[in-house]
Amino acid sequence: MRVLVVGGGGREHALCWALAGSPLLTKLWCAPGNPGIAEVADCVPIGAEDIPALVEFARRESVELVVPGPEAPLTLGLADACAAAGIRCIGPSAEAARLEGSKAFCKQVADAAFVPTAAWARFEDADAARAYIHAQGAPIVVKADGLAAGKGVVVAQTVAEAEAAIAEIMEARVHGAAGASVVIEECLVGEEVSFFALCDGTTALPLGAAQDHKRVGEGDTGPNTGGMGAFSPPPAFTDAIQGEVMARIIRPTLAEMAARGTPFRGVLFAGLMLTAAGPKLIEFNVRFGDPECQALMLRLRSDLLPALLAACDGELARFDLRWEKLSSLVVVMAAEGYPAAPRKGSVIQGLEAAAAVPHAQLFHAGTARREDGALVAAGGRVLSVAATGPTLLAARDAAYAAVDAVDWPGGFCRRDIGWRALG
Ligand code: AMP
Ligand code: GLY
């Protein structure tokens, strides 16, 4: 099987690492990849959003399966373009990817499918939005409707904060066109969990849950990021809760998407709040989370490749996935200045020593090779340092032992990944 993974972050490194272990694999490419991915796949210098070039490459190399990591190629129609070229792609059509691309669309589908979610309203007019905020009171959540790289959400503790968010998003347009409309939501309270299901249009298979750490600072403080660490499974996410999520959130959503003529194929990522009244949907994404994917791939015992093929071919119903009875934990190491202005070019050393820590696994994200061969920081989130263990505590200790072996003065990480479960 000839496979092309699209993307170049820690998530894509984890996907390549998992796929590289498949006996079905004959050739693995990654576009654009990164220096870590280059150890398990051939990296191709094509941007993850260059749909025509990706499809042309896949056609030329007789790629049999395309595995997109990030959402952007999906919202840009990579799955549609692959379908038109007769190439399998495990991701939703652009139409189905609107579940992530438009928060209002996500809420409409959720309501139509009776999925438990926060009460909401959408506004294109800033004054009307302000009036609604005054009527509802705080705390309240204000979101730019379009894609804003995870940064268009303000959980406002006061009415003044919510009004300031309207001014920034709708009037100053700090997220550009994504702020032409806003979704305003009831503030949900509880433990936040990311849940993943592999979908073939009609059947969904649980891929497990993880807990992310979105704020840059310890104790969940400071600005939002793409995610500073994750662990799996979250102790709060019991089998009973998973059953409820599948029955009340995932399956009804799949049925609704199919009924609309836009069946969902790919990885459905439900951002959940475990509230006192049961699990509620915060949002859908149409892909694996980063760094949640790294945590999940370390626990997957089954071969990922046949599962992805079965999802493409509508044959998930006869499929099952097996997981190691282990915990995993991922610490993201970011470049100083992240998320506002990460500094590029600092030299990273010690990765061999880190990888030699028992049960540790390193995934690259924003790394690059300098001309002299040195590994340097080239992005915000630079490394995912992950580990498994019989307990979450053991996984955490192994992950931080590996972090401590990394010699990178230009980077930083949170020292408290897992704190919600471990204290
Ligand atoms: P989103 O981009 O929609 O995932 O939102 C980013 C973060 O804001 C989420 O991970 C939550 O922590 C928080 N958030 C979003 N919507 C709500 C809500 N309705 N209630 C409470 N927190 C929320
Ligand atoms: N870690 C959250 C995300 O990938 O959206």
Side-chain angles (χ1 to χ4, degrees):
M1 179 71 46
R2 299 162 71 80
V3 180
L4 170 65
V5 172
V6 176
R11 166 181 50 206
E12 290 76 27
H13 191 177
L15 290 171
C16 286
W17 174 81
L19 290 167
S22 172
L24 295 179
L25 186 82
T26 51
K27 179 81 197 172
L28 184 61
W29 292 274
C30 187
N34 65 40
I37 291 175
E39 290 166 16
V40 289
D42 273 3
C43 292
V44 190
I46 302 175
E49 296 173 29
D50 189 346
I51 309 300
L54 290 170
V55 176
E56 173 52 30
F57 176 84
R59 208 196 310 248
R60 194 170 64 237
E61 295 290 349
S62 305
V63 167
E64 296 165 274
L65 174 68
V66 176
V67 183
E71 65 278 12
L74 295 167
T75 54
L76 291 170
L78 177 59
D80 310 83
C82 286
I87 301 165
R88 288 191 189 99
C89 175
I90 183 57
S93 64
E95 194 59 33
R98 288 176 67 214
L99 276 180
E100 172 162 0
S102 162
K103 293 190 188 297
F105 178 75
C106 172
K107 294 298 264 184
Q108 284 160 5
V109 170
D111 282 354
F114 300 102
V115 166
T117 180
W120 68 287
R122 177 174 180 270
F123 298 93
E124 288 174 5
D125 177 78
D127 288 331
R130 276 187 278 264
Y132 180 78
I133 287 166
H134 276 271
Q136 298 294 315
I140 195 158
V141 181
V142 180
K143 303 182 175 185
D145 187 22
L147 276 180
K151 289 167 190 141
V153 175
V154 176
V155 180
Q157 298 302 328
T158 64
V159 166
E161 235 180 282
E163 286 191 323
I166 296 293
E168 281 201 353
I169 295 171
M170 300 191 85
E171 290 167 348
R173 290 290 175 97
V174 293
H175 307 295
S181 56
V182 291
V183 168
I184 303 182
E185 293 183 9
E186 165 197 1
C187 188
L188 300 174
V189 180
E191 199 74 16
E192 200 175 333
V193 164
S194 305
F195 178 74
F196 301 87
L198 183 61
C199 305
D200 71 1
T202 49
T203 301
L205 206 61
L207 286 169
Q211 198 161 33
D212 189 9
H213 298 60
K214 290 185 198 233
R215 303 298 193 97
V216 75
E218 281 161 21
D220 294 332
T221 54
N224 250 319
T225 71
M228 294 300 292
F231 60 89
S232 176
F237 197 80
T238 60
D239 287 350
I241 292 178
Q242 174 165 306
E244 198 177 339
V245 170
M246 290 299 291
R248 298 194 60 198
I249 299 180
I250 303 295
R251 289 195 198 104
T253 300
L254 274 198
E256 174 65 21
M257 293 299 284
R260 288 170 180 240
T262 53
F264 187 91
R265 220 167 274 116
V267 175
L268 187 58
F269 165 170
L272 303 172
M273 195 72 88
L274 307 184
T275 76
K280 291 195 181 184
L281 177 73
I282 297 173
E283 59 158 4
F284 281 126
N285 296 305
V286 299
R287 51 171 174 83
F288 274 111
D290 184 344
E292 291 98 322
C293 182
Q294 293 87 308
L296 293 179
M297 289 304 113
L298 284 179
R299 293 185 45 237
L300 181 62
R301 185 190 297 179
S302 304
D303 187 347
L304 178 65
L305 186 46
L308 298 182
L309 290 172
C312 283
D313 296 344
E315 290 174 357
L316 269 189
R318 58 166 183 80
F319 226 85
D320 202 13
L321 284 173
R322 290 188 304 148
W323 301 87
E324 304 286 358
K325 288 200 176 359
L326 289 172
S327 289
S328 57
L329 186 137
V330 186
V331 179
V332 169
M333 299 188 77
E336 290 286 358
Y338 178 76
R343 280 187 283 286
K344 294 187 180 172
S346 54
V347 175
I348 305 161
Q349 290 177 304
L351 295 195
E352 276 178 22
V357 169
H359 313 295
Q361 187 69 44
L362 261 65
F363 299 113
H364 288 225
T367 61
R369 286 265 172 227
R370 218 165 52 183
E371 265 177 29
D372 62 2
L375 192 71
V376 296
R381 294 189 295 172
V382 172
L383 293 171
S384 296
V385 183
T388 54
T391 62
L392 190 54
L393 191 59
R396 180 179 72 176
D397 288 348
Y400 278 109
V403 164
D404 290 338
V406 175
D407 175 10
W408 180 30
F412 74 97
C413 69
R414 278 179 60 167
R415 301 293 315 189
D416 66 344
I417 302 305
W419 74 278
R420 282 184 187 280
L422 294 168

